[in-house]
Amino acid sequence: QVQLVESGGGLVQPGGSLRLSCAASGSILSINTVDWYRQTPGKQRELVALITSGGSTNYADSVKGRFTISRDNAKNTVFLQMNSLKPEDTAVYYCHTDWIRLLGGRYLEVWGQGTLVTVSS
């Protein structure tokens, strides 16, 4: 079974920082682009940042200059460093990949279960 497991969410004051992790587990050969999305009740899921297998990155305008996405391919883990957090960053954060290549040759799209980030004083 292949999973993406997020961790690192929690409660932080405005201006604070959090580091989210997204760890892939299973019989994995390689992982393609990994995205971080976020969602609040009543709103559509929003793309926050992505990182390609080669390390190229892209960010939503709302987080540019504050969030940094990175990956450790040896550990099948992607990180989202979030600085200067604002109350409007409060959401459930999900990691996603459009494909993981498994031993045996299968490709799977995978979503994590989400981790809650709350920015509040």
Side-chain angles (χ1 to χ4, degrees):
Q1 184 179 1
V2 176
Q3 294 184 85
L4 292 177
V5 179
E6 301 100 332
S7 61
L11 174 64
V12 63
Q13 291 188 340
S17 298
L18 282 175
R19 189 192 196 205
L20 305 184
S21 298
C22 171
S25 63
S27 301
I28 296 168
L29 282 178
S30 59
I31 304 174
N32 198 33
T33 297
V34 177
D35 323 294
W36 283 97
Y37 285 81
R38 65 187 180 188
Q39 189 169 27
T40 54
K43 292 190 176 181
Q44 283 193 324
R45 201 166 283 191
E46 172 193 21
L47 178 62
V48 175
L50 66 86
I51 185 166
T52 69
S53 56
S56 297
T57 59
N58 203 0
Y59 298 91
D61 287 343
S62 58
V63 306
K64 277 181 184 175
R66 300 188 298 122
F67 290 12
T68 303
I69 189 170
S70 61
R71 66 192 291 166
D72 183 337
N73 289 330
K75 295 183 178 180
N76 290 329
T77 302
V78 171
F79 305 97
L80 186 68
Q81 178 66 43
M82 305 186 297
N83 299 328
S84 303
L85 283 161
K86 305 175 181 180
E88 51 263 43
D89 294 318
T90 296
V92 177
Y93 284 72
Y94 299 89
C95 66
H96 163 265
T97 180
D98 55 349
W99 60 255
I100 291 179
R101 185 181 180 191
L102 306 178
L103 290 171
R106 290 175 63 205
Y107 291 81
L108 289 178
E109 179 183 14
V110 186
W111 284 91
Q113 83 290 349
T115 186
L116 177 62
V117 172
T118 304
V119 185
S120 175
S121 54

